[in-house]
Amino acid sequence: MPGGGRIAAVTDAHFEVAAGECLALVGESGCGKSVLASALLGLLPANAQSRGEARLGALDLLAADERTLARTVRGRMVGLIPQSPAAHLTPVRTVRSHMAETVTALTGVRGRKAVREAADRAAERAAFPADHLDRHPHELSGGLAQRAATALALVGDAPLLLADEPTTGLDRDLVDHTVDELRRHVDGGAGRALLVITHDLAAAERVADRVAVMYAGRIVELADADAFFGMPGPRHPYSRGLLQALPDRGFTPVPGMPPELGDLPDGCAFAGRCERATDVCAALPPVTDGTACHHPYVPEDLRA
């Protein structure tokens, strides 16, 4: 930040992802979702700082050193589908080469034929076309790069899969295929879980057990997916606005723009865009029943 100041990109992010569960983290661009994902895997810039705990079993991810993250966590304990997949692929190597190296490193499979077959199976799971495996990253469309990244993340059958915008660049059928495959990953082995970061609320509804809504670096609502997308619906006004913006739910955008993370108000960051705001919103809202709001919707409001 100009002048040497600091920006709190994510604050007070308290949540759990249980074995066998998918948690969808949703919110507008710039709210801190991808920063949170990067912090969990030690991928923040060198000048960034993180505090708190992020427990995966007995290991605190935020306290782990780079050697532990590189050799034990990434790919093995946490599989990552990155937000910008092309940037994570080596430009001078083919997709097949990436797949073979990942299979060998994470699964212990050896032998040229066995590795090739394992790579082909992973590509098929992600709907990556076999006739594109010998192409280099620059020869792939954005959607194909996304599918390549998904295939690579699925190889190791990691206990936690962290998918950061895994459906970017995909048409609706491929979106459904991708989130269904991510769901199968969770359901296909004991102890697996999925944290999916997405703008695509339809994809979140299809795959998630619970939904966490992030706004201006804070989680403002945490709810069961059935209740969030159905009845009684979201309790936070921002969450309700996100759903109202969907084409099949009114196509009404949330008014205004989110605040800059470097210039947040002392109280509720959403107050300036909220029709329910009052003077009390000048203070930071408490978290009650999973919702950080002074004036949350209650069932009586949602039926009105």
Side-chain angles (χ1 to χ4, degrees):
M1 183 176 179
R6 295 182 178 180
I7 294 177
V10 177
T11 305
D12 297 333
H14 301 286
F15 63 90
E16 296 180 354
V17 187
E21 180 184 44
C22 169
L23 175 67
L25 181 61
V26 303
E28 291 170 291
S29 295
C31 70
K33 304 187 303 297
S34 294
V35 172
L36 176 60
S38 296
L40 294 176
L41 286 173
L43 298 176
L44 291 173
N47 64 342
Q49 297 179 351
S50 57
R51 298 177 182 175
E53 290 184 342
R55 292 283 175 183
L56 183 58
L59 179 65
D60 181 359
L61 297 177
L62 298 186
D65 57 29
E66 175 58 27
R67 180 184 178 90
T68 300
L69 290 169
R71 297 194 175 190
T72 305
V73 175
R74 298 182 193 130
R76 293 172 173 82
M77 296 178 70
V78 183
L80 173 66
I81 303 176
Q83 184 179 31
S84 302
H88 287 250
L89 299 173
T90 303
V92 296
R93 300 179 61 185
T94 65
V95 175
R96 189 185 301 280
S97 175
H98 284 89
M99 295 289 292
E101 180 184 49
T102 304
V103 167
T104 301
L106 299 184
T107 69
V109 173
R110 296 291 185 272
R112 185 172 181 178
K113 181 180 178 181
V115 169
R116 186 182 183 93
E117 290 175 348
D120 288 346
R121 286 194 298 272
E124 184 178 3
R125 290 176 67 185
F128 187 89
D131 59 355
H132 285 53
L133 281 168
D134 292 312
R135 296 190 179 187
H136 292 82
H138 73 274
E139 299 176 291
L140 304 179
S141 66
L144 283 172
Q146 189 70 58
R147 282 183 270 171
T150 299
L152 290 167
L154 291 170
V155 165
D157 286 330
L160 175 62
L161 196 58
L162 203 168
D164 191 356
E165 301 291 356
T167 60
T168 299
L170 305 182
D171 63 33
R172 198 72 244 167
D173 288 343
L174 283 172
V175 168
D176 292 346
H177 175 93
T178 298
V179 297
D180 287 349
E181 190 59 49
L182 297 180
R183 183 76 238 189
R184 278 191 286 272
H185 171 84
V186 175
D187 296 337
R192 296 180 190 169
L194 169 65
L195 173 60
V196 58
I197 296 169
T198 184
H199 291 94
D200 189 337
L201 292 179
E205 183 176 10
R206 187 178 182 94
V207 73
D209 297 298
R210 289 188 300 143
V211 178
V213 181
M214 181 169 277
Y215 184 79
R218 294 179 182 269
I219 293 178
V220 297
E221 183 162 7
L222 188 59
D224 289 337
D226 288 343
F228 185 89
F229 291 107
M231 289 297 293
R235 301 186 69 232
H236 197 283
Y238 174 64
S239 306
R240 187 173 170 87
L242 287 179
L243 289 188
Q244 297 264 343
L246 293 176
D248 61 344
R249 300 200 185 206
F251 212 27
T252 304
V254 181
M257 296 292 292
E260 295 291 335
L261 292 178
D263 189 28
L264 294 178
D266 293 331
C268 175
F270 186 62
R273 308 172 71 185
C274 181
E275 63 181 16
R276 298 169 70 90
T278 65
D279 290 346
V280 73
C281 299
L284 199 65
V287 179
T288 305
D289 296 329
T291 305
C293 183
H294 289 289
H295 306 294
Y297 284 91
V298 296
E300 289 73 17
D301 298 323
L302 299 172
R303 286 195 293 265

Coordinates of all heavy atoms in Angstrom, one line a residue, residues 185-251:
H185 N -14.8 -36.9 -5.5 CA -13.5 -37.0 -4.8 C -13.8 -37.1 -3.3 O -13.2 -37.9 -2.6 CB -12.6 -35.8 -5.1 CG -11.4 -35.7 -4.3 ND1 -10.2 -36.4 -4.5 CD2 -11.1 -35.0 -3.1 CE1 -9.3 -36.1 -3.6 NE2 -9.9 -35.3 -2.8
V186 N -14.6 -36.2 -2.8 CA -15.0 -36.1 -1.4 C -15.7 -37.4 -0.9 O -15.3 -38.0 0.1 CB -15.8 -34.9 -1.1 CG1 -16.3 -34.9 0.4 CG2 -15.1 -33.6 -1.4
D187 N -16.6 -37.8 -1.7 CA -17.4 -39.0 -1.3 C -16.7 -40.3 -1.6 O -17.2 -41.4 -1.0 CB -18.7 -39.0 -2.1 CG -19.6 -37.8 -1.8 OD1 -19.4 -37.2 -0.7 OD2 -20.4 -37.4 -2.6
G188 N -15.6 -40.3 -2.3 CA -15.0 -41.6 -2.7 C -14.0 -42.1 -1.8 O -13.4 -43.2 -2.1
G189 N -13.7 -41.4 -0.7 CA -12.7 -41.9 0.2 C -12.8 -41.4 1.6 O -13.2 -40.2 1.7
A190 N -12.6 -42.2 2.6 CA -12.8 -41.7 4.0 C -11.8 -40.6 4.3 O -10.6 -40.6 3.9 CB -12.5 -42.9 4.9
G191 N -12.3 -39.5 5.0 CA -11.4 -38.5 5.4 C -11.2 -37.4 4.4 O -10.3 -36.5 4.7
R192 N -11.8 -37.4 3.3 CA -11.6 -36.3 2.3 C -12.6 -35.2 2.5 O -13.7 -35.3 2.9 CB -11.7 -36.9 0.9 CG -10.7 -37.9 0.5 CD -10.9 -38.4 -0.9 NE -10.1 -39.6 -1.2 CZ -10.3 -40.3 -2.3 NH1 -11.2 -39.9 -3.2 NH2 -9.6 -41.3 -2.6
A193 N -12.1 -34.0 2.1 CA -12.9 -32.8 2.2 C -12.6 -31.8 1.1 O -11.5 -31.9 0.4 CB -12.7 -32.1 3.6
L194 N -13.5 -30.9 0.8 CA -13.3 -29.9 -0.3 C -13.7 -28.5 0.2 O -14.7 -28.3 0.8 CB -14.3 -30.3 -1.4 CG -14.4 -29.4 -2.6 CD1 -13.1 -29.2 -3.4 CD2 -15.5 -29.8 -3.6
L195 N -12.7 -27.6 -0.1 CA -13.0 -26.2 0.1 C -13.0 -25.6 -1.3 O -11.9 -25.5 -2.0 CB -11.9 -25.5 0.9 CG -12.0 -24.0 1.1 CD1 -13.3 -23.5 1.7 CD2 -10.9 -23.4 1.9
V196 N -14.1 -25.1 -1.8 CA -14.2 -24.6 -3.2 C -14.5 -23.1 -3.1 O -15.5 -22.7 -2.4 CB -15.3 -25.3 -4.0 CG1 -16.7 -25.3 -3.4 CG2 -15.3 -24.8 -5.4
I197 N -13.7 -22.3 -3.7 CA -13.8 -20.9 -3.8 C -14.4 -20.5 -5.2 O -13.9 -20.9 -6.2 CB -12.5 -20.2 -3.6 CG1 -11.9 -20.5 -2.2 CG2 -12.6 -18.7 -3.8 CD1 -10.5 -20.0 -2.0
T198 N -15.6 -19.9 -5.2 CA -16.2 -19.7 -6.5 C -17.1 -18.4 -6.5 O -17.6 -18.0 -5.5 CB -17.0 -20.9 -6.8 OG1 -17.6 -20.8 -8.1 CG2 -18.2 -21.2 -5.8
H199 N -17.2 -17.9 -7.7 CA -18.2 -16.8 -8.0 C -19.5 -17.5 -8.4 O -20.6 -16.8 -8.5 CB -17.7 -15.9 -9.1 CG -16.6 -15.0 -8.7 ND1 -15.3 -15.3 -8.9 CD2 -16.6 -13.8 -8.1 CE1 -14.5 -14.3 -8.5 NE2 -15.3 -13.4 -8.0
D200 N -19.4 -18.7 -8.8 CA -20.5 -19.4 -9.5 C -21.5 -20.0 -8.4 O -21.2 -21.1 -7.9 CB -20.0 -20.5 -10.4 CG -21.1 -21.1 -11.3 OD1 -22.3 -21.0 -11.0 OD2 -20.7 -21.7 -12.4
L201 N -22.5 -19.3 -8.1 CA -23.4 -19.7 -7.1 C -24.2 -21.0 -7.5 O -24.6 -21.8 -6.6 CB -24.4 -18.6 -6.6 CG -23.7 -17.4 -5.9 CD1 -24.8 -16.4 -5.6 CD2 -23.0 -17.9 -4.7
A202 N -24.4 -21.1 -8.8 CA -25.1 -22.4 -9.2 C -24.2 -23.6 -9.0 O -24.7 -24.6 -8.6 CB -25.5 -22.2 -10.7
A203 N -22.9 -23.4 -9.3 CA -22.0 -24.5 -9.0 C -21.9 -24.8 -7.5 O -21.8 -25.9 -7.1 CB -20.6 -24.2 -9.5
A204 N -21.9 -23.7 -6.7 CA -21.8 -23.9 -5.2 C -23.1 -24.6 -4.7 O -23.0 -25.5 -3.9 CB -21.7 -22.5 -4.5
E205 N -24.2 -24.3 -5.3 CA -25.5 -25.0 -4.9 C -25.4 -26.4 -5.2 O -25.9 -27.3 -4.5 CB -26.7 -24.3 -5.5 CG -28.0 -24.9 -5.1 CD -29.2 -24.2 -5.7 OE1 -29.0 -23.3 -6.6 OE2 -30.3 -24.5 -5.3
R206 N -24.8 -26.8 -6.3 CA -24.7 -28.2 -6.8 C -23.8 -29.0 -5.9 O -24.1 -30.2 -5.7 CB -24.2 -28.2 -8.3 CG -24.3 -29.5 -8.9 CD -23.8 -29.4 -10.4 NE -23.9 -30.7 -11.1 CZ -25.0 -31.1 -11.8 NH1 -26.0 -30.3 -11.9 NH2 -24.9 -32.3 -12.4
V207 N -22.7 -28.4 -5.4 CA -21.7 -29.2 -4.8 C -21.6 -29.1 -3.3 O -21.1 -30.0 -2.6 CB -20.3 -28.9 -5.4 CG1 -19.8 -27.6 -5.0 CG2 -19.3 -30.0 -5.2
A208 N -22.1 -28.0 -2.7 CA -21.7 -27.7 -1.3 C -22.7 -28.2 -0.3 O -23.9 -28.3 -0.5 CB -21.6 -26.1 -1.1
D209 N -22.1 -28.6 0.9 CA -22.9 -28.9 2.1 C -23.2 -27.7 2.9 O -24.2 -27.5 3.5 CB -22.1 -29.9 2.9 CG -21.9 -31.2 2.2 OD1 -22.9 -31.9 1.8 OD2 -20.7 -31.6 1.9
R210 N -22.1 -26.8 2.9 CA -22.3 -25.5 3.6 C -21.7 -24.4 2.8 O -20.9 -24.6 1.9 CB -21.6 -25.5 5.0 CG -22.3 -26.4 6.0 CD -21.6 -26.2 7.4 NE -20.2 -26.6 7.4 CZ -19.3 -25.9 8.1 NH1 -19.6 -24.9 8.8 NH2 -18.0 -26.3 8.0
V211 N -22.1 -23.2 3.1 CA -21.7 -22.0 2.3 C -21.2 -21.0 3.3 O -21.8 -20.7 4.3 CB -22.9 -21.4 1.5 CG1 -22.4 -20.1 0.8 CG2 -23.5 -22.4 0.6
A212 N -20.0 -20.4 3.0 CA -19.4 -19.3 3.7 C -19.4 -18.1 2.8 O -18.8 -18.2 1.7 CB -18.0 -19.6 4.3
V213 N -19.9 -17.0 3.2 CA -20.0 -15.8 2.4 C -18.9 -14.8 3.0 O -19.0 -14.5 4.2 CB -21.4 -15.2 2.4 CG1 -21.4 -13.9 1.6 CG2 -22.4 -16.2 2.0
M214 N -18.0 -14.3 2.1 CA -17.0 -13.4 2.5 C -17.3 -12.0 1.9 O -17.7 -11.9 0.7 CB -15.6 -13.9 2.1 CG -14.5 -13.0 2.5 SD -12.8 -13.7 2.3 CE -12.7 -14.7 3.8
Y215 N -17.1 -11.0 2.7 CA -17.3 -9.6 2.3 C -16.2 -8.8 2.9 O -16.1 -8.8 4.1 CB -18.7 -9.1 2.6 CG -18.9 -7.7 2.0 CD1 -19.2 -7.5 0.7 CD2 -18.8 -6.6 2.8 CE1 -19.4 -6.3 0.2 CE2 -19.0 -5.3 2.3 CZ -19.3 -5.2 1.0 OH -19.5 -3.9 0.4
A216 N -15.5 -8.0 2.1 CA -14.4 -7.1 2.6 C -13.5 -7.8 3.6 O -13.2 -7.2 4.6 CB -15.1 -5.9 3.2
G217 N -13.1 -9.0 3.3 CA -12.1 -9.7 4.1 C -12.6 -10.5 5.3 O -11.8 -11.1 6.0
R218 N -13.9 -10.4 5.5 CA -14.5 -11.1 6.7 C -15.6 -12.1 6.2 O -16.3 -11.8 5.2 CB -15.2 -10.1 7.6 CG -14.2 -9.2 8.3 CD -14.9 -8.3 9.3 NE -14.0 -7.3 9.9 CZ -13.4 -7.5 11.1 NH1 -13.7 -8.7 11.7 NH2 -12.6 -6.7 11.6
I219 N -15.7 -13.2 6.9 CA -16.8 -14.1 6.7 C -18.1 -13.6 7.4 O -18.1 -13.4 8.6 CB -16.5 -15.5 7.1 CG1 -15.4 -16.1 6.2 CG2 -17.8 -16.4 7.1 CD1 -14.9 -17.5 6.6
V220 N -19.1 -13.2 6.6 CA -20.2 -12.5 7.2 C -21.4 -13.5 7.4 O -22.4 -13.2 8.1 CB -20.7 -11.4 6.3 CG1 -19.6 -10.3 6.3 CG2 -21.1 -11.8 4.9
E221 N -21.3 -14.7 6.8 CA -22.4 -15.7 7.0 C -21.8 -17.1 6.7 O -21.1 -17.3 5.8 CB -23.6 -15.4 6.1 CG -24.7 -16.4 6.4 CD -26.1 -15.9 5.8 OE1 -26.1 -14.9 5.1 OE2 -27.1 -16.6 6.1
L222 N -22.2 -18.0 7.6 CA -21.9 -19.4 7.4 C -23.2 -20.2 7.6 O -23.8 -20.1 8.7 CB -20.8 -19.8 8.4 CG -20.2 -21.2 8.3 CD1 -19.5 -21.4 7.0 CD2 -19.1 -21.4 9.5
A223 N -23.6 -21.0 6.6 CA -24.9 -21.6 6.7 C -24.9 -22.9 5.9 O -24.1 -23.2 5.0 CB -26.0 -20.6 6.1
D224 N -25.9 -23.8 6.3 CA -26.1 -25.0 5.5 C -26.6 -24.6 4.1 O -27.4 -23.7 3.9 CB -27.2 -25.9 6.2 CG -26.7 -26.5 7.5 OD1 -25.4 -26.6 7.7 OD2 -27.5 -26.8 8.4
A225 N -26.1 -25.3 3.1 CA -26.4 -25.0 1.8 C -27.9 -25.1 1.5 O -28.4 -24.3 0.7 CB -25.6 -25.9 0.8
D226 N -28.5 -26.2 2.0 CA -29.9 -26.3 1.7 C -30.7 -25.1 2.2 O -31.6 -24.6 1.5 CB -30.5 -27.6 2.3 CG -30.0 -28.9 1.6 OD1 -29.5 -28.7 0.5 OD2 -30.0 -30.0 2.2
A227 N -30.4 -24.7 3.4 CA -31.1 -23.5 4.0 C -30.8 -22.2 3.3 O -31.6 -21.4 3.1 CB -30.8 -23.4 5.5
F228 N -29.5 -22.1 2.8 CA -29.0 -20.9 2.2 C -29.7 -20.7 0.8 O -30.2 -19.7 0.5 CB -27.5 -21.0 2.0 CG -26.9 -19.8 1.5 CD1 -26.5 -18.7 2.3 CD2 -26.6 -19.6 0.1 CE1 -25.8 -17.6 1.8 CE2 -26.0 -18.5 -0.4 CZ -25.6 -17.5 0.4
F229 N -29.7 -21.8 0.0 CA -30.2 -21.7 -1.3 C -31.8 -21.9 -1.4 O -32.4 -21.6 -2.4 CB -29.5 -22.7 -2.3 CG -28.1 -22.3 -2.5 CD1 -27.1 -23.0 -2.0 CD2 -27.8 -21.3 -3.4 CE1 -25.7 -22.7 -2.2 CE2 -26.5 -20.9 -3.6 CZ -25.4 -21.6 -3.1
G230 N -32.3 -22.5 -0.3 CA -33.7 -22.8 -0.3 C -34.4 -21.9 0.8 O -34.4 -20.7 0.7
M231 N -35.1 -22.6 1.7 CA -35.7 -21.9 2.8 C -35.1 -22.3 4.1 O -34.7 -23.4 4.3 CB -37.2 -22.2 2.8 CG -38.0 -21.6 1.6 SD -38.0 -19.8 1.6 CE -38.9 -19.5 3.1
P232 N -34.9 -21.3 5.0 CA -35.4 -20.0 5.0 C -34.6 -19.0 4.2 O -35.0 -17.8 4.1 CB -35.4 -19.6 6.4 CG -34.3 -20.3 7.0 CD -34.3 -21.6 6.3
G233 N -33.5 -19.4 3.6 CA -32.6 -18.5 2.8 C -31.6 -17.8 3.6 O -31.5 -18.0 4.9
P234 N -30.7 -17.0 3.0 CA -29.7 -16.3 3.7 C -30.2 -15.3 4.7 O -31.3 -14.7 4.6 CB -28.9 -15.5 2.6 CG -29.4 -16.1 1.3 CD -30.7 -16.6 1.6
R235 N -29.4 -15.1 5.8 CA -29.8 -14.2 6.8 C -29.1 -12.8 6.7 O -29.6 -11.8 7.1 CB -29.5 -14.7 8.2 CG -30.2 -16.1 8.5 CD -30.0 -16.5 9.9 NE -30.7 -15.6 10.9 CZ -30.1 -15.1 11.9 NH1 -28.9 -15.3 12.2 NH2 -30.9 -14.3 12.7
H236 N -27.9 -12.8 6.1 CA -27.2 -11.5 5.9 C -27.7 -10.8 4.7 O -27.9 -11.4 3.6 CB -25.7 -11.8 5.8 CG -24.8 -10.6 6.0 ND1 -24.7 -9.6 5.0 CD2 -24.1 -10.2 7.1 CE1 -23.9 -8.6 5.5 NE2 -23.5 -9.0 6.7
P237 N -27.9 -9.5 4.7 CA -28.4 -8.8 3.6 C -27.5 -8.9 2.3 O -28.0 -8.9 1.2 CB -28.4 -7.3 4.1 CG -28.6 -7.4 5.5 CD -27.8 -8.6 5.9
Y238 N -26.2 -9.0 2.5 CA -25.3 -9.1 1.4 C -25.5 -10.5 0.7 O -25.5 -10.6 -0.5 CB -23.8 -9.0 1.9 CG -22.8 -9.3 0.8 CD1 -22.8 -8.5 -0.4 CD2 -21.9 -10.3 0.9 CE1 -21.9 -8.8 -1.4 CE2 -21.0 -10.6 -0.1 CZ -21.0 -9.8 -1.3 OH -20.1 -10.1 -2.3
S239 N -25.6 -11.6 1.5 CA -25.8 -12.9 1.0 C -27.1 -12.9 0.2 O -27.2 -13.5 -0.9 CB -25.9 -13.9 2.1 OG -24.8 -13.8 3.0
R240 N -28.1 -12.3 0.8 CA -29.4 -12.2 0.1 C -29.3 -11.5 -1.2 O -29.9 -11.9 -2.3 CB -30.4 -11.5 1.0 CG -31.9 -11.6 0.5 CD -32.7 -11.0 1.6 NE -34.1 -10.7 1.2 CZ -35.1 -11.6 1.2 NH1 -34.8 -12.9 1.6 NH2 -36.3 -11.3 0.8
G241 N -28.5 -10.4 -1.2 CA -28.3 -9.7 -2.5 C -27.5 -10.5 -3.5 O -27.8 -10.4 -4.7
L242 N -26.6 -11.3 -3.1 CA -25.9 -12.2 -4.1 C -26.9 -13.1 -4.8 O -26.8 -13.3 -6.0 CB -24.8 -13.0 -3.4 CG -23.5 -12.3 -2.9 CD1 -22.6 -13.3 -2.2 CD2 -22.8 -11.6 -4.1
L243 N -27.8 -13.7 -4.0 CA -28.7 -14.6 -4.7 C -29.7 -13.8 -5.5 O -30.1 -14.3 -6.6 CB -29.5 -15.4 -3.6 CG -28.8 -16.5 -2.8 CD1 -29.7 -17.3 -1.9 CD2 -28.0 -17.4 -3.8
Q244 N -30.1 -12.7 -5.1 CA -31.0 -11.8 -5.9 C -30.4 -11.4 -7.3 O -31.1 -11.1 -8.2 CB -31.4 -10.6 -5.1 CG -32.2 -10.9 -3.9 CD -33.7 -10.8 -4.0 OE1 -34.2 -10.3 -5.0 NE2 -34.4 -11.4 -3.0
A245 N -29.1 -11.5 -7.3 CA -28.4 -11.1 -8.6 C -28.4 -12.2 -9.6 O -28.0 -11.9 -10.8 CB -27.0 -10.6 -8.3
L246 N -28.7 -13.4 -9.2 CA -28.7 -14.5 -10.2 C -29.8 -14.3 -11.2 O -30.9 -13.8 -10.9 CB -29.0 -15.8 -9.4 CG -27.8 -16.3 -8.5 CD1 -28.2 -17.5 -7.8 CD2 -26.5 -16.5 -9.3
P247 N -29.6 -14.7 -12.5 CA -30.6 -14.6 -13.5 C -31.9 -15.2 -13.2 O -33.0 -14.7 -13.6 CB -29.9 -15.2 -14.7 CG -28.5 -15.1 -14.5 CD -28.3 -15.3 -13.0
D248 N -31.9 -16.3 -12.5 CA -33.2 -17.0 -12.2 C -33.8 -16.5 -10.9 O -34.8 -17.1 -10.5 CB -33.0 -18.5 -12.2 CG -32.0 -19.0 -11.1 OD1 -31.3 -18.1 -10.6 OD2 -32.0 -20.2 -10.8
R249 N -33.2 -15.5 -10.3 CA -33.8 -15.0 -9.0 C -34.0 -13.5 -9.0 O -34.0 -12.9 -8.0 CB -32.9 -15.4 -7.8 CG -32.7 -16.9 -7.7 CD -32.2 -17.2 -6.3 NE -31.9 -18.7 -6.2 CZ -31.9 -19.3 -5.0 NH1 -32.3 -18.7 -3.9 NH2 -31.6 -20.6 -4.9
G250 N -34.2 -13.0 -10.2 CA -34.5 -11.5 -10.2 C -33.5 -10.7 -11.0 O -33.8 -9.6 -11.5
F251 N -32.2 -11.2 -11.1 CA -31.2 -10.5 -11.8 C -31.0 -9.0 -11.4 O -30.8 -8.1 -12.2 CB -31.5 -10.5 -13.3 CG -30.3 -10.6 -14.2 CD1 -29.1 -11.1 -13.8 CD2 -30.4 -10.1 -15.5 CE1 -28.0 -11.2 -14.6 CE2 -29.2 -10.1 -16.3 CZ -28.1 -10.7 -15.9

